[in-house]
Every structure is written in structure tokens, then in C-alpha cells.
Amino acid sequence: MSRVFITQRIYPEGVRILEQAGIPHQMRPDENPLPTADLIEQARGVEALITLVTDRIAEDVFQALPELRIVANVAVGYDNIDLSAATRHGVVVTNTPDVLTEATADMAFALMLAAARRIPEADRFVREGRWHGWTLMQEQMGVDLYGRTLGIFGMGRIGAAMARRAHHGFGMRILYTNRSAAPAGLEQELQAERVPFERLLSESDFVSIHAPATPETRHVFTADAFRRMKPTAILVNTARGPLVDEAALVNALRSGEIAGAGLDVFEEEPQVHPGLLELTERVALAPHLGSATLETRTRMCVMAAENVREFLQGRRPANAVNPEVLAG
């Protein structure tokens, strides 16, 4: 009988970790999440789940799978898992931090550049045969990044990596809002200033979101937040969709309260607010590609499998997000 159920297809390097350790496992060949009832049925009796961010692992799953001891999420975020329910049932939850930091920061910066320099519009303009030569006042006039102010909402690993790219590569001034101050060395390196959220909004030319999805951060970017931003400001989100009130964002973009947006995540993925799809100027949209390089996604699968292997072999997994379960 399988000890591990892999809810969706992962890269073979991750599966190989289990094979080399002699751990029986079963992997679904599909790349779409199972309905909860089907997941429960297929995972009966297993000790470990390897899950993806599209899997919803809630109280009903933990109740129905009493043998379950660990859930290894192939992601740095774990808002798809009810962590309090897992802890109550004595189930360890792990994630895959660090490995996707640089790839996600690259994506955030790419979206910021794409929205600022209107790359999606320019691409369509050329492909549709509407470009008839260079002009001084071209239709796709963008804005500079160099020397502007970048506001980082959430100065964790990815936020810091984004700030480094901005400061060292583009000479940008860095403001940040975070629950706690960044290390003094990081602040000094980036000449970064920790400021209240309201000041971050009012002074930033670009605001990049890098905070986790929690009840406290849900819809932190509201209509009021957009009114506080500069009319020339651009919002970038590569964290989690629910941090942004998408209806309010659409209204802010349509009314000119802010100038643009670069979004890799959405409130109701894979559904996207229809208003965002209609906005074709200064808006860049991507299908949750933050960690989507072959090297990074492969390493995420390996790390999740390593977490499972270590736990099932009686060792402490490196990336437990509810370590109190291990102490019990």
C-alpha cells in the first residue's frame, strides 16, 4: 500500500527522491486538482500528501484521513491548507521556501517593466500590422523606472530580492511596509526606509506586493488604498490574489486613480475579473508564473519530496510551518 499520495503530476526528480528511499507512493497523472471527495477516496490510508497550491486541504480532509501525518505543499505559500485544522489533527505541514525567491522576484520585475513600458500593448501593435514607423510621440509612451520610488509591501525573502533588483539595477529609492523591521544590514544595503502603509501608498511610483495571504492581508488593497496612490503609480502583485480587491482595482484603473498594473495572481484563479481582461492599456497579466522556470519548479518538487522522506524516516523536515506538531 502507498504511504504517499501525490495529488497532481510533479517533476520526475521529485518522485525519484521517494523511489530512492524505497517509499511506496502513488501519483496522479493529471495536472488539475481533485474534488475533495475524490481526493479523500484516493488518499485513504496514506501517511503523506504531496500537494500543489490548487489543492484545497481543509478540516474535512483531515477528519477523513486519520492516518495522515504530513502534507508537503509544493509552494512557499500554504493558504490552500487549513493550518489550524492540520495542527489540531497532529499533521505536519511543510512548504518550499527560498528556492523560488529569485524566480518570483524576476517575474515581479518583469511585470513592473511590462506595465511601465507597455510591452503587451506594443507587442499587439506590431503583430496586428499597425506599426508604420518610428515617431517622436509614439502611442505606447511609457514611464521611467530609473530613480523612481518602489514601495515593497512585505519585505520577506522575495520582497528583499525585488528591492535589490530595483535599487542596485535601476537606482530606485526603496520604501517598505512590513510587520517588523528588516535587518539593519539589509536596510543599509538598500538604503530602504520602513514606513506606514499610508505613506508607502502616497509616495511610491510603483508598489509591489510580496506578503502572504492571511485574514489580516485580505483586500488590504482596497478602493481607499488606490485613492491614496499617485495617479501615475503602477501596482504589481506576484504574491496572492486575495490581497487585492479586484473590483476596486478595475475601478481605479478605469478612472485613472492609478496608471497601471502587472498581475500574476488573481482572487479567484483561474478566473480573472472581466474588467481586468477588458483593460488593454498599461495592464500586464500572467497566469501565475512567478516560480515558473524549469529549474525552480523542479527544485520545488524535490524539496517537497525531501520533506516527506525526512519525516517518514523519523527525522525533522526542514520546512515545517507548524513545528509545534513536531514538538508534541
Side-chain angles (χ1 to χ4, degrees), residues 69-70 87 90-94 307 310-312 314-328:
R69 299 166 60 204
I70 181 171
T87 303
V91 177
V92 178
V93 176
T94 66
N307 286 331
E310 294 304 289
F311 181 83
L312 293 182
R315 294 183 291 272
R316 186 184 184 93
N319 304 301
V321 297
N322 57 344
E324 61 271 28
V325 173
L326 295 168

Side-chain angles (χ1 to χ4, degrees), residues 3-11 14-18 23-28 39 43 46-53 55 57 68 70-75 80-81 94 96 300-309 312:
R3 299 182 68 190
V4 182
F5 180 58
I6 306 170
T7 60
Q8 300 179 49
R9 187 163 68 94
I10 65 172
Y11 284 102
V15 179
R16 197 170 299 131
I17 295 295
L18 302 177
I23 298 174
H25 57 277
Q26 175 191 353
M27 180 174 69
R28 287 182 63 237
L39 187 152
V46 303
E47 298 171 76
L49 292 178
I50 294 179
T51 57
L52 278 72
V53 293
D55 295 308
I57 311 298
L68 186 63
I70 181 171
V71 177
N73 212 35
V74 184
N80 58 309
I81 300 169
T94 66
T96 59
M300 290 165 65
C301 295
V302 168
M303 186 176 288
E306 288 174 340
N307 286 331
V308 168
R309 179 194 65 194
L312 293 182

Side-chain angles (χ1 to χ4, degrees), residues 66-302:
E67 296 90 352
L68 186 63
R69 299 166 60 204
I70 181 171
V71 177
N73 212 35
V74 184
V76 65
Y78 44 88
D79 50 300
N80 58 309
I81 300 169
D82 186 334
L83 190 62
S84 60
T87 303
R88 285 196 306 274
H89 287 271
V91 177
V92 178
V93 176
T94 66
N95 66 344
T96 59
D98 298 328
V99 66
L100 49 69
T101 296
E102 302 301 334
T104 306
D106 283 349
M107 187 65 192
F109 213 93
L111 285 169
M112 185 166 69
L113 279 168
R117 297 304 302 268
R118 303 175 70 171
I119 300 300
E121 299 167 61
D123 181 81
R124 288 192 298 272
F125 190 75
V126 172
R127 291 177 186 278
E128 292 169 3
R130 293 186 287 134
W131 183 43
H132 304 297
W134 186 92
T135 60
L136 179 66
M137 301 179 185
Q138 285 183 259
E139 184 176 331
Q140 298 83 20
M141 199 67 68
V143 297
D144 288 329
L145 272 72
Y146 190 85
R148 297 295 178 89
T149 297
L150 171 62
I152 301 286
F153 184 77
M155 188 65 104
R157 298 179 183 92
I158 299 172
M162 177 69 166
R164 285 192 175 97
R165 285 158 173 73
H167 179 70
H168 295 307
F170 285 74
M172 298 183 81
R173 171 191 177 216
I174 305 298
L175 302 178
Y176 75 96
T177 296
N178 202 58
R179 287 182 299 178
S180 56
L186 181 64
E187 285 192 342
Q188 184 176 6
E189 174 197 346
L190 301 176
Q191 299 176 37
E193 182 181 0
R194 184 184 177 211
V195 297
F197 184 49
E198 293 74 15
R199 185 176 162 198
L200 183 92
L201 296 172
S202 65
E203 294 189 21
S204 297
D205 299 298
F206 301 86
V207 174
S208 191
I209 304 174
H210 299 285
T214 67
E216 292 74 28
T217 60
R218 177 175 173 78
H219 282 191
V220 67
F221 285 86
T222 60
D224 180 66
F226 297 127
R227 281 191 291 268
R228 293 172 183 269
M229 292 172 67
K230 295 180 179 181
T232 54
I234 290 173
L235 179 75
V236 176
N237 189 10
T238 54
R240 286 291 186 264
L243 274 73
V244 176
D245 182 336
E246 284 186 2
L249 175 60
V250 168
N251 290 335
L253 290 165
R254 283 175 172 166
S255 66
E257 284 182 334
I258 67 171
L263 306 174
D264 188 43
V265 289
F266 304 91
E267 276 197 83
E268 301 292 341
E269 294 182 12
Q271 283 74 40
V272 178
H273 192 292
L276 288 172
L277 298 175
E278 294 166 4
L279 291 164
T280 58
E281 294 185 4
R282 297 183 176 87
V283 175
L285 307 177
H288 206 141
L289 294 178
S291 62
T293 68
L294 180 60
E295 299 87 349
T296 296
R297 290 273 174 95
T298 298
R299 182 58 189 146
M300 290 165 65
C301 295
V302 168

